[in-house]
Amino acid sequence: MTPPLLELEDISKYYGNIIALTDVTTSVNAGEVTCVLGDNGAGKSTFIKILAGVHEPTEGTIKMNGETVSFTSPRASLDAGIATVYQDLAMVPMMSVWRNFFLGSEPTNGLRIDKKKAKALAKEEMSKMGIDIRDTEQPVGTLSGGERQSVAIARAVYFGAKVLILDEPTSALGVKQSGVVLKYIIAARDRGLGVIFITHNPHHAYPVGDRFMILNRGKSMGNFAKAELPRDELVRMMAGGAELDQLTHEIEQA
Ligand SMILES: Nc1ncnc2c1ncn2[C@@H]1O[C@H](COP(=O)(O)OP(=O)(O)OP(=O)(O)O)[C@@H](O)[C@H]1O
Ligand SMILES: [Mg+2]
């Protein structure tokens, strides 16, 4: 049996006295979307930063294709094929779409950037993902939030990422734009990437997710395959379950 693309075993992370993650275990398969859900402060960003090589875990093991790995820098994580798209996106708003697509890795002819080739390539790669940018000379700042996310996703796919981590890619977007981003998550999955989709919105996670891990105050409430987790149950867990029911009850009684 081939091992999962990525496995995290009993990952804990302390920031001094603050325990951000405790014994978190999960796995990510190629061609699947793993959703990591949790409320504010649950440890989602900490989880990403460990995979992105920003922080090392205090305890626990990370395996890639069955081999233990340690990401001591963002470069190390990237070199291993893990692409992280942060919510605030490392893009330059005044720069064109095609420059943002390559960001320093443009095709060249000799010493010069081959602009014509770069533009055509960016357009072609994005259209393979179903992204239709009319003019790649357009400054990235004039794109909608959903389109900007999609450029970042297409870039990660083109540069050969095996794991794509998306940190709350839909949280600042409206319904329609969120739908656009969800569509590209599916496109990346269909290209064989293992996608990790971080969100606090179960309604965004459920339609695209193959497996779900819910974090609550740094602890995993379990890993679930879609077949064993009805949508209502996911929504209930994310709403704080019993805690919220109790609160609602108290408010109604008051
Ligand atoms: N660099 C840090 N130093 C100390 N404590 C931190 C640090 N980063 C995060 N924490 C704490 O760790 C816990 C988890 O934070 P984290 O940012 O991972 O949560 P999150 O799930 O991403 O939350 P949000 O949805 O608000 O972004 C929180 O209690 C936070 O205050
Ligand atoms: Mg966060």
Side-chain angles (χ1 to χ4, degrees):
M1 222 181 81
T2 46
L5 180 55
L6 201 59
E7 288 166 281
L8 289 97
E9 291 169 6
D10 298 322
I11 296 287
S12 297
K13 174 67 190 172
Y14 307 156
Y15 296 109
N17 294 329
I18 299 164
I19 303 174
L21 290 175
T22 318
D23 291 335
V24 171
T25 295
T26 194
S27 61
V28 176
N29 293 314
E32 279 189 5
V33 179
T34 298
C35 298
V36 177
L37 293 111
D39 219 332
N40 297 118
K44 303 183 298 298
S45 294
T46 301
F47 177 84
I48 296 173
K49 285 175 185 161
I50 285 174
L51 285 176
V54 177
H55 293 314
E56 283 191 73
T58 311
E59 283 164 18
T61 312
I62 304 173
K63 287 182 182 164
M64 221 172 160
N65 299 312
E67 309 227 343
T68 301
V69 288
S70 96
F71 304 133
T72 49
S73 68
R75 187 75 245 172
S77 167
L78 204 57
D79 287 347
I82 299 178
T84 307
V85 178
Y86 292 99
Q87 195 175 342
D88 48 6
L89 297 176
M91 285 197 182
V92 190
M94 296 303 289
M95 241 188 217
S96 66
V97 170
W98 72 270
R99 299 282 322 234
N100 270 286
F101 186 90
F102 290 104
L103 275 184
S105 306
E106 289 85 355
T108 56
N109 47 18
L111 291 174
R112 287 223 186 108
I113 290 174
D114 188 341
K115 277 195 201 172
K116 212 173 146 196
K117 189 170 170 191
K119 285 186 217 173
L121 206 54
K123 201 170 167 70
E124 187 190 322
E125 286 304 315
M126 286 190 281
S127 104
K128 273 192 210 163
M129 296 280 294
I131 304 160
D132 180 28
I133 301 280
R134 270 143 293 167
D135 181 6
T136 55
E137 278 288 4
Q138 194 178 341
V140 107
T142 64
L143 298 177
S144 72
E147 285 170 335
R148 271 201 297 274
Q149 287 280 345
S150 69
V151 172
I153 295 172
R155 182 170 76 196
V157 172
Y158 174 68
F159 285 103
K162 297 184 187 83
V163 177
L164 175 64
I165 305 175
L166 301 164
D167 186 8
E168 300 264 7
T170 57
S171 68
L173 305 179
V175 176
K176 204 170 159 207
Q177 288 290 316
S178 295
V180 171
V181 172
L182 296 179
K183 198 176 97 184
Y184 301 128
I185 290 178
I186 298 284
R189 178 202 71 190
D190 289 347
R191 298 278 295 264
L193 279 81
V195 181
I196 302 176
F197 175 23
I198 313 288
T199 179
H200 59 261
N201 190 330
H203 301 288
H204 289 173
Y206 202 76
V208 299
D210 295 290
R211 43 184 75 240
F212 304 89
M213 182 181 67
I214 297 136
L215 286 176
N216 187 8
R217 292 181 205 157
K219 292 202 173 99
S220 167
M221 294 171 75
N223 287 279
F224 305 90
K226 192 172 203 159
E228 59 189 19
L229 184 69
R231 180 196 286 256
D232 293 356
E233 182 61 18
L234 178 66
V235 172
R236 202 191 61 83
M237 283 168 103
M238 277 311 295
E243 275 173 53
L244 192 70
D245 291 346
Q246 179 61 30
L247 190 64
T248 313
H249 181 72
E250 280 168 19
I251 292 166
E252 279 166 3
Q253 295 297 308

